[in-house]
Structure formats: C-alpha cells, structure tokens
Amino acid sequence: MKRQARLFAIAEYLRGRRTGVIAEDLADRFGVTVRTIYRDLDVLREAALPLKAEPGRGGGYALDRHYTLGPINLTPREAALLLTVVQFAVKLRVVPFIETLQAGADKVRAALSESSQRELLRALDRLQLTGVPAVETRLQVRTAVEEALFAHAPIELSFRRSDGALSVRTVTIESLVLERSHSLLNVRDVVSGEQRQYPMDRIEAARAPALRGGSGSR
C-alpha cells in the first residue's frame, strides 16, 4: 500500500472507531513498522486532523470526540467487497436479519455515482464466494493480489508447487474463489495463455512484474 493510500486508510479507520488504538495495533493492521505509524500520525496532525493520544488502559490514538464526521465516501472496490460479503451472508443465512442486510446493501449501492456503480458491477462479477477459507495467506500476497485483481493488471507470483519447487510466473487474475479450506486464484499465464488455479496460501511472494522481457519460469 502506497503512503498516500495508507494515510487515508488510517484516517478512515480512526474516524470509524473513536476509541483509542495503540501504534503497535495500527502497525499490525497496515503491515508497517511502529516508527512508520508514528511518522504517518505526525503527517495527519500536520494536515489538521484532530488526533490526540489518550493515556492509560484502553487508551491510544483517537480523533477528538467533538470532531464532526462528514459523509462516508466509499470507493467502488470498498463497496464491491462490502456487498459481496452481504450477498454471502444472505445466501448462507449467517444472520436472520436478511431484509436489513439487503436494505443496507441498497443504501451502499445508492451512495455511488453512476460511473462508480458500473465499476461496482464489473467488480462483483469477478468475486465468487462458496465457503469460508480456513488457510491464511501472507499479508504481502493479499495486498498485491487485491491490487492486481481490481486494477486488472498483470502480477508476478512465486508459487510453491506440491513437489517443493518454486515456480515464478506472470499472470492475469481472472477470478478469486473462496472455498472451505483455501482462497483460490484462477489465473491466465501471460506468456503461454494457459489457465491455472493457485491456492493463495502456497504463493510465497507477489509483485508487479518487472519492466523487462522474458517469460515466467516453470
């Protein structure tokens, strides 16, 4: 996550909870060092965000309680993930309040502009939920895969095969499938055009491909 995006995400996170959160928890949430979080908080203060540090148990960094919240501005990506989880909860009857869930989903959709709603529909078509993944994926991999999925961009994956060998390939992500034991990526190899499916927990690294020629290794 780039710094500007992280600063916005930290501000939105603090805005949404109003109770104190310690720097260590922020560092864990955003995958950076505590020192980086301290620098980010200084930048937010300089931008006139009313941050304060609450001492004692249950304290931490929080927004001033008198700070007035503006309207919620969801990106199409955020809305797509929220609405996909709502659909998943409705289909599996995770909670009995289906009508309320659907009404809330309609409000999220209505808050988007016409162009954002079109982008939302495209994003929803690329997400499939069939169960609850039980195997965790590395934070760096999750972050890079999310960016590639929603940006429709190629991504270089370092994948540990069943024989223990490491395979490095540049692919485009066609869909993400969540099943009961794994998060599965359906991808297409940029060089060969082959379609493959990778369990995300066996991907050891993921990044934007280098600006050079050549093909992925087997």
Side-chain angles (χ1 to χ4, degrees):
M1 181 183 291
K2 294 181 180 179
R3 190 183 193 194
Q4 184 176 359
R6 188 177 66 248
L7 288 171
F8 180 79
I10 291 172
E12 288 295 300
Y13 178 68
L14 293 173
R15 184 173 88 150
R17 53 179 289 151
R18 292 304 184 95
T19 55
V21 56
I22 61 175
E24 288 78 6
D25 288 346
L26 288 171
D28 288 341
R29 180 178 180 85
F30 294 101
V32 296
T33 65
V34 173
R35 180 175 295 181
T36 296
I37 288 295
Y38 284 137
R39 288 198 293 263
D40 288 347
L41 293 173
D42 287 339
V43 170
L44 291 173
R45 286 194 189 94
E46 291 172 3
L49 195 71
L51 269 174
K52 63 177 184 178
E54 298 178 341
R57 186 177 180 180
Y61 292 93
L63 291 179
D64 189 283
R65 288 186 174 85
H66 300 291
Y67 179 56
T68 302
L69 297 181
I72 297 174
N73 296 312
L74 293 175
T75 66
R77 182 187 304 184
E78 292 166 342
L81 292 175
L82 285 173
L83 292 177
T84 299
V85 172
V86 168
Q87 291 175 0
F88 181 56
V90 168
K91 288 179 180 178
L92 293 188
R93 298 187 295 277
V94 174
V95 295
F97 315 118
I98 293 175
E99 291 79 11
T100 302
L101 275 176
Q102 292 174 327
D106 289 340
K107 291 177 182 177
V108 170
R109 200 183 294 262
L112 299 175
S113 66
E114 183 178 345
S115 61
S116 293
Q117 287 193 17
R118 287 196 294 267
E119 186 176 344
L120 167 65
L121 292 174
R122 289 194 295 269
L124 287 174
D125 286 340
R126 294 166 58 82
L127 295 169
Q128 304 172 39
L129 295 177
T130 61
V132 180
V135 183
E136 189 173 1
T137 304
R138 292 174 174 85
L139 173 61
Q140 183 272 332
V141 172
R142 294 200 308 270
T143 302
V145 165
E146 177 187 348
E147 184 62 32
L149 175 67
F150 286 95
H152 312 293
I155 185 171
E156 185 180 277
L157 302 179
S158 299
F159 178 76
R160 185 67 62 181
R161 300 189 320 209
S162 56
D163 62 3
L166 189 66
S167 175
V168 181
R169 291 180 177 273
T170 299
V171 302
T172 55
I173 302 172
E174 298 194 333
S175 63
L176 168 64
V177 179
L178 305 183
E179 52 109 270
R180 294 188 182 279
S181 57
H182 296 281
S183 299
L184 303 172
L185 283 183
N186 291 325
V187 304
R188 186 179 296 274
D189 191 290
V190 168
V191 176
S192 68
E194 295 175 324
Q195 291 181 303
R196 297 174 180 271
Q197 187 176 76
Y198 292 150
M200 282 184 63
D201 56 282
R202 286 169 58 187
I203 298 173
E204 296 193 356
R207 64 184 180 89
L211 298 178
R212 53 180 171 80
S215 61
S217 61
R218 294 186 181 274

